[in-house]
Amino acid sequence: MKKIFEIFLSSLIALIFFPALSMASTSVLFEKKSAVKMNQNVFCLHMSHDCIPCNDRTMWRYQKSGKMTQISNLSNYQCVQKFKKNTKNNCIQLSAFCSICNDGAFRFKDKKIIKSDLFECIQGPRYTLGAASQKCSTLQENQELEVIVTKKLIASGPIESRPLALPDSSVVFGAHDGRLYRVSKNGKVLWSLQTKGQISSSPKLLNSKIIVFGSSDRHIYLVSLKGKILNKIKTKGPVDSSPTVINPNLFIIGSDDGGLYYINSRGKIIKQFKSKALIESTPLLLPNGKIIVGSDDKNLYLLNSRGKLEKTIPAGGRIWSSPARLPNGNIVVGADDGKVYFFNDKLELLNTYKTAGWIETHPLPIGESEVAVTSDDGKLYIFSSGGKFKASYSTGGWAESSPILSGQVLVFGSNDGSIYITTKKAKLVKRIVTGSTVKSTATELADGTIVVPTGSGHLYYLQIKKKKSSYNSLVSKACKK
């Protein structure tokens, strides 16, 4: 059972809280031990004044002056020993998955001893050492993330469609119950439109007034902002691909009949490209007007601005993933062979990385030189723009939800029933358990609210706020003495 203990860190430190876990005894150990707050870069644990390990594999201690200095002569094992007490098998929880016990062992939540070390076991919220130089002078006043969660039951079936945010902060999305919904920011259904098949396609806004999407009833729909069907185009297969807007009067979308359809704002098919198998991949529009799209025939296609085939790039698996363009011009896409493919701007293969699951999602550029990708092996991966592995985070289920970047954190879902918030380095910040699969990609509204649909038909509204830590303010002042 988790218990929370109020403790003093020092005469200069404010009262803070830490979740303690006792696995075998009602007596409580470590009640004088404390965690410190979180920074996006470095997590640390205050085990004693002489032993403060951080997840960048550095060790620190307090001086009598209140300043902190880095130490190198204290081993991982010695630090654990300083944390031990005489009563056996009492533990303190360091993360959702890992506890350290006073016998020196690390244990999983089911009490099983796991192979780990002190540094790997540390996860937030903790406190910060400035990441730049790791000196006391870089200790900075930090902000702790707080996530306010509300949810609304909307649909009578799972939601995989990514919500389209409109200027009034209402959202439009489809569901497996065959309906397209428009929902206000406070979770009120403004209208819904029934189709004859489930909707996995994510709607887009054309010409600021027309919603376009596909349905498994084999139709492509054009709908007004009030929910009136303006036009619908019949194809020869379900339409699970999401549209890409080319200009205010033209969009493209794939179909399971293998066609990539070019459709104007009046609902007329202008032209069509035909692949050898279904297209569920969302087409990518390049700055030069060319199109890249993947197909179930295991090919990536480059079409010129007139819709004519310019290049075919074979892959080792079916491409349901939507290609992404990075700031340096590189193209990243996944396939069901488990590989992430990295191409240069000429679509020449630079690198591949093999994961243990299908890649069905849309890679997310992070800054100028990194990209985030989720895989059906349950992991979030961070790569350099050239395909070098940099970090990963494991969830408990398939990760079919594409990540989004909100400020300095990544948000994505997993089939383990959770929404995950991590740093850009794939360190866990917050896990929100929904109890149902999370396959849809989240959408951020203008005010920063994040909308996440789930397999239960709910919309989760996340407000990620920052609150100043009085603890860090006091430590920062102590460093200046």
Side-chain angles (χ1 to χ4, degrees):
M1 181 182 294
K2 292 184 178 178
K3 299 180 180 179
I4 300 178
F5 299 93
E6 194 174 70
I7 52 90
F8 281 99
L9 187 64
S10 72
S11 60
L12 292 173
I13 307 303
L15 288 172
I16 61 175
F17 294 89
F18 189 78
L21 177 67
S22 177
M23 291 187 175
S25 170
T26 56
S27 63
V28 179
L29 304 182
F30 319 125
E31 62 184 77
K32 294 182 180 179
K33 307 299 181 267
S34 61
V36 279
K37 303 297 179 185
M38 186 197 74
N39 176 291
Q40 296 168 8
N41 301 295
V42 180
F43 306 100
C44 303
L45 179 71
H46 184 274
M47 299 180 72
S48 73
H49 285 322
D50 294 323
C51 179
I52 303 174
C54 301
N55 68 342
D56 64 348
R57 310 194 82 83
T58 60
M59 199 85 73
W60 297 75
R61 65 171 297 179
Y62 274 109
Q63 294 179 335
K64 290 182 179 180
S65 64
K67 292 184 178 181
M68 293 179 64
T69 56
Q70 188 171 348
I71 55 178
S72 58
N73 59 351
L74 188 67
S75 71
N76 186 4
Y77 178 77
Q78 288 172 321
C79 196
V80 172
Q81 299 307 303
K82 287 180 175 291
F83 203 47
K84 290 172 58 175
K85 296 290 181 180
N86 294 326
T87 308
K88 295 182 178 179
N89 294 326
N90 281 264
C91 308
I92 189 166
Q93 185 174 354
L94 303 185
S95 72
F97 307 104
C98 184
S99 299
I100 182 174
C101 301
N102 66 343
D103 60 357
F106 296 88
R107 285 182 167 81
F108 192 65
K109 57 186 177 183
D110 61 0
K111 304 181 185 179
K112 179 181 178 181
I113 294 178
I114 59 175
K115 184 179 180 180
S116 185
D117 70 30
L118 186 59
F119 298 101
E120 292 173 344
C121 205
I122 298 171
Q123 295 186 41
R126 312 289 182 219
Y127 81 31
T128 173
L129 292 174
S133 62
Q134 301 300 336
K135 295 180 180 178
C136 182
S137 61
T138 66
L139 279 168
Q140 51 190 299
E141 186 172 2
N142 237 325
Q143 291 181 313
E144 185 181 357
L145 293 180
E146 176 187 17
V147 183
I148 300 172
V149 182
T150 57
K151 68 176 182 177
K152 298 285 185 177
L153 179 61
I154 304 296
S156 58
I159 307 171
E160 294 184 17
S161 169
R162 182 184 185 183
L164 165 68
L166 296 178
D168 64 352
S169 290
S170 64
V171 292
V172 179
F173 58 90
H176 282 204
D177 60 11
R179 288 186 175 273
L180 184 76
Y181 292 87
R182 183 173 179 181
V183 178
S184 71
K185 185 184 175 182
N186 62 8
K188 179 182 178 181
V189 177
L190 301 176
W191 52 257
S192 67
L193 170 71
Q194 183 71 57
T195 71
K196 295 182 180 180
Q198 70 180 35
I199 302 173
S200 298
S201 175
S202 300
K204 297 289 175 58
L205 188 62
L206 183 68
N207 204 15
S208 301
K209 59 185 178 181
I210 301 173
I211 300 165
V212 294
F213 68 98
S215 170
S216 63
D217 67 6
R218 303 188 172 200
H219 285 86
I220 300 164
Y221 288 82
L222 288 79
V223 175
S224 74
L225 292 176
K226 294 184 178 181
K228 179 183 177 181
I229 296 176
L230 302 175
N231 214 325
K232 63 179 184 178
I233 302 99
K234 186 175 182 179
T235 74
K236 295 180 181 180
V239 184
D240 294 324
S241 170
S242 298
T244 295
V245 175
I246 303 298
N247 61 52
N249 294 301
L250 182 67
F251 71 96
I252 55 177
I253 188 170
S255 169
D256 282 11
D257 64 12
L260 181 68
Y261 292 85
Y262 290 68
I263 301 171
N264 67 16
S265 57
R266 297 187 298 276
K268 180 180 178 181
I269 298 174
I270 302 300
K271 50 194 167 188
Q272 180 184 355
F273 168 78
K274 191 74 173 179
S275 74
K276 297 176 183 178
L278 62 85
I279 296 178
E280 293 187 359
S281 170
T282 301
L284 170 66
L285 173 65
L286 298 177
N288 59 10
K290 296 181 180 182
I291 302 296
I292 300 176
V293 66
S295 170
D296 214 52
D297 63 12
K298 302 183 181 181
N299 287 312
L300 197 65
Y301 293 101
L302 175 66
L303 310 180
N304 65 22
S305 58
R306 299 183 300 277
K308 300 295 183 181
L309 179 63
E310 189 169 295
K311 190 173 184 178
T312 302
I313 305 97
R318 296 170 292 180
I319 302 176
W320 305 322
S321 168
S322 303
R325 182 180 182 272
L326 307 186
N328 66 357
N330 286 359
I331 303 298
V332 183
V333 70
D336 76 348
D337 61 356
K339 289 183 179 179
V340 186
Y341 291 81
F342 297 82
F343 301 92
N344 63 17
D345 57 359
K346 297 178 181 178
L347 286 180
E348 298 167 336
L349 185 63
L350 298 174
N351 206 350
T352 63
Y353 183 91
K354 175 73 172 176
T355 74
W358 295 346
I359 309 288
E360 305 182 54
T361 53
H362 184 80
L364 172 72
I366 306 175
E368 294 296 319
S369 59
E370 292 182 330
V371 60
V373 182
T374 48
S375 169
D376 283 3
D377 65 8
K379 290 184 178 181
L380 166 73
Y381 291 89
I382 309 297
F383 301 101
S384 71
S385 60
K388 180 181 178 182
F389 171 84
K390 303 195 79 171
S392 67
Y393 179 80
S394 295
T395 74
W398 288 12
E400 298 181 69
S401 164
S402 302
I404 69 164
L405 181 64
S406 175
Q408 297 298 313
V409 296
L410 301 175
V411 182
F412 67 100
S414 169
N415 285 4
D416 66 4
S418 297
I419 302 165
Y420 288 87
I421 302 173
T422 74
T423 69
K424 292 188 288 186
K425 303 299 181 184
K427 300 294 184 182
L428 181 66
V429 174
K430 183 77 172 179
R431 179 185 179 188
I432 300 156
V433 178
T434 72
S436 62
T437 58
V438 185
K439 295 185 178 182
S440 175
T441 299
T443 292
E444 185 170 11
L445 305 182
D447 67 352
T449 300
I450 298 171
V451 183
V452 188
T454 70
S456 61
H458 287 85
L459 291 186
Y460 277 71
Y461 293 83
L462 311 182
Q463 293 177 292
I464 302 178
K465 296 185 176 182
K466 297 178 180 179
K467 58 181 181 179
K468 290 186 177 180
S469 166
S470 59
Y471 170 81
N472 287 312
S473 178
L474 289 167
V475 172
S476 185
K477 291 176 183 178
C479 268
K480 295 175 182 178
K481 288 190 175 183

